[in-house]
Amino acid sequence: MKSKAIFNWSSGKDSSLALFKILQEDQYEIVSLLTSVNQEFQRISMHGVHVSLLEKQAESLGFPLIKMELPKEPSMEEYRTIMDQTMSRVKAMGVTASVFGDIFLEDLRRYREEQLKVIGMEAIFPLWKQNTTYLIHEFIDLGFKTIITCVNEMYLDKSFAGRIIDKDFLRDLPEQVDPCGENGEFHTFTFDGPVFKEPVCFDIGDTVKKTYPKPKTSSDDAEGEYVFWFCDLKLKEENL
């Protein structure tokens, strides 16, 4: 009997490829997708993807969806309370493992493992420590299709928002940018590929600039801000 697992779904390329690999391995039964959503804006944090597209993704993937709705700026206490409530619901489904699309962020992996260990669950990382250049080419060659929904202006300019990841996109990336955006350079929305029953159809809206204050550190008290460009995607009317 396969162990039951929850899949932490971001809507982007790393999640899509990790889901493909975990399904190929056939060691776990994925009982549901789990996605954190901004409660006020009904969008996936950082990816900027509206829940209508997220729900259409889940429908095409053929999995139930659990949306963990978070306040706009949750305190650590609020976050933990909501997370505890969500994971209690997940545990009640007989889930013993949680799958992530992380590739090489050691601190994040350690945090996930520690939090899950407390409730007796294990963390699974199908893409862990794999070469990101190889992974993104594998992603494209498998037939996945994904669009850039958010770019960090510190690494990429506005023109990259709304682009499809293909070989031309990879050639245009600055040398210092990870091809999978693993350092937060960009975020994506995957709308087709081998794990989808049918493509998720959408229209491309405006590209919007948003700024966020940089946290102050003891070594640098200068004020500043992070600049991100979001490409808004809208579910096609015939899908509503």
Side-chain angles (χ1 to χ4, degrees), residues 188-229:
T188 59
F189 174 76
T190 304
F191 55 91
D192 198 7
V195 292
F196 291 85
K197 297 175 182 176
E198 58 185 11
V200 178
C201 298
F202 58 88
D203 292 315
I204 298 177
D206 296 332
T207 297
V208 180
K209 178 182 179 180
K210 293 190 177 182
T211 60
Y212 303 90
K214 289 183 179 179
K216 290 185 178 181
T217 64
S218 57
S219 60
D220 181 15
D221 291 330
E223 293 185 2
E225 60 184 17
Y226 292 113
V227 178
F228 293 88
W229 290 97

Side-chain angles (χ1 to χ4, degrees), residues 125-236:
F125 300 87
L127 308 182
W128 190 249
K129 290 296 185 182
Q130 295 189 40
N131 181 284
T132 50
T133 298
Y134 171 81
L135 284 176
I136 197 62
H137 282 280
E138 180 184 19
F139 178 85
I140 294 170
D141 293 342
L142 283 168
F144 280 106
K145 294 182 175 60
T146 198
I147 185 170
I148 305 295
T149 59
C150 170
V151 297
N152 185 335
E153 193 177 67
M154 186 163 42
Y155 303 101
L156 296 170
D157 62 47
K158 176 183 178 181
S159 67
F160 282 88
R163 288 189 60 174
I164 302 296
I165 291 187
D166 54 17
K167 300 297 174 71
D168 288 337
F169 171 85
L170 297 179
R171 281 191 288 268
D172 291 343
L173 278 182
E175 186 176 342
Q176 73 274 16
V177 173
D178 182 83
C180 282
E182 186 66 357
N183 298 304
E185 298 97 327
F186 59 87
H187 299 285
T188 59
F189 174 76
T190 304
F191 55 91
D192 198 7
V195 292
F196 291 85
K197 297 175 182 176
E198 58 185 11
V200 178
C201 298
F202 58 88
D203 292 315
I204 298 177
D206 296 332
T207 297
V208 180
K209 178 182 179 180
K210 293 190 177 182
T211 60
Y212 303 90
K214 289 183 179 179
K216 290 185 178 181
T217 64
S218 57
S219 60
D220 181 15
D221 291 330
E223 293 185 2
E225 60 184 17
Y226 292 113
V227 178
F228 293 88
W229 290 97
F230 288 87
C231 176
D232 191 27
L233 306 180
K234 301 180 185 298
L235 189 65
K236 278 190 175 293

Side-chain angles (χ1 to χ4, degrees):
M1 177 183 285
K2 293 186 287 187
S3 299
K4 291 184 177 182
I6 195 85
F7 193 97
N8 292 267
W9 181 256
S10 72
S11 81
K13 57 179 176 33
D14 296 343
S15 280
S16 301
L17 188 55
L19 179 60
F20 173 82
K21 289 181 177 289
I22 205 76
L23 293 176
Q24 290 288 103
E25 292 172 4
D26 199 30
Q27 295 181 16
Y28 296 91
E29 176 192 350
I30 304 299
V31 300
S32 182
L33 308 179
L34 172 62
T35 306
S36 297
V37 173
N38 182 299
Q39 189 176 48
E40 180 179 351
F41 300 110
Q42 288 296 292
R43 291 179 182 269
I44 302 171
S45 300
M46 291 315 301
H47 289 245
V49 174
H50 194 270
V51 293
S52 59
L53 285 160
L54 169 65
E55 290 166 351
K56 200 66 180 179
Q57 263 189 336
E59 181 182 326
S60 181
L61 292 167
F63 293 107
L65 172 66
I66 297 174
K67 290 177 289 185
M68 188 173 76
E69 297 195 351
L70 297 169
K72 184 179 179 181
E73 295 180 3
S75 66
M76 185 56 69
E77 183 178 350
E78 287 176 316
Y79 177 82
R80 286 176 177 163
T81 298
I82 295 170
M83 176 62 79
D84 288 346
Q85 291 171 347
T86 302
M87 296 313 292
S88 293
R89 175 182 172 187
V90 168
K91 285 277 289 183
M93 299 162 65
V95 170
T96 59
S98 189
V99 186
F100 301 90
D102 303 314
I103 303 173
F104 56 62
L105 299 178
E106 296 278 1
D107 290 347
L108 185 56
R109 173 169 180 157
R110 191 178 308 113
Y111 173 79
R112 297 197 196 285
E113 290 176 328
E114 289 172 354
Q115 295 301 306
L116 287 170
K117 186 177 180 180
V118 172
I119 58 173
M121 290 175 62
E122 64 173 328
I124 309 297
F125 300 87
L127 308 182
W128 190 249
K129 290 296 185 182
Q130 295 189 40
N131 181 284
T132 50
T133 298
Y134 171 81
L135 284 176
I136 197 62
H137 282 280
E138 180 184 19
F139 178 85
I140 294 170
D141 293 342
L142 283 168
F144 280 106
K145 294 182 175 60
T146 198
I147 185 170
I148 305 295
T149 59
C150 170
V151 297
N152 185 335
E153 193 177 67
M154 186 163 42
Y155 303 101
L156 296 170
D157 62 47
K158 176 183 178 181
S159 67
F160 282 88
R163 288 189 60 174
I164 302 296
I165 291 187
D166 54 17
K167 300 297 174 71
D168 288 337
F169 171 85
L170 297 179
R171 281 191 288 268
D172 291 343
L173 278 182
E175 186 176 342
Q176 73 274 16
V177 173
D178 182 83
C180 282
E182 186 66 357
N183 298 304
E185 298 97 327
F186 59 87
H187 299 285
T188 59
F189 174 76
T190 304
F191 55 91
D192 198 7
V195 292
F196 291 85
K197 297 175 182 176
E198 58 185 11
V200 178
C201 298
F202 58 88
D203 292 315
I204 298 177
D206 296 332
T207 297
V208 180
K209 178 182 179 180
K210 293 190 177 182
T211 60
Y212 303 90
K214 289 183 179 179
K216 290 185 178 181
T217 64
S218 57
S219 60
D220 181 15
D221 291 330
E223 293 185 2
E225 60 184 17
Y226 292 113
V227 178
F228 293 88
W229 290 97
F230 288 87
C231 176
D232 191 27
L233 306 180
K234 301 180 185 298
L235 189 65
K236 278 190 175 293
E237 290 188 6
E238 59 264 32
N239 290 332
L240 296 175

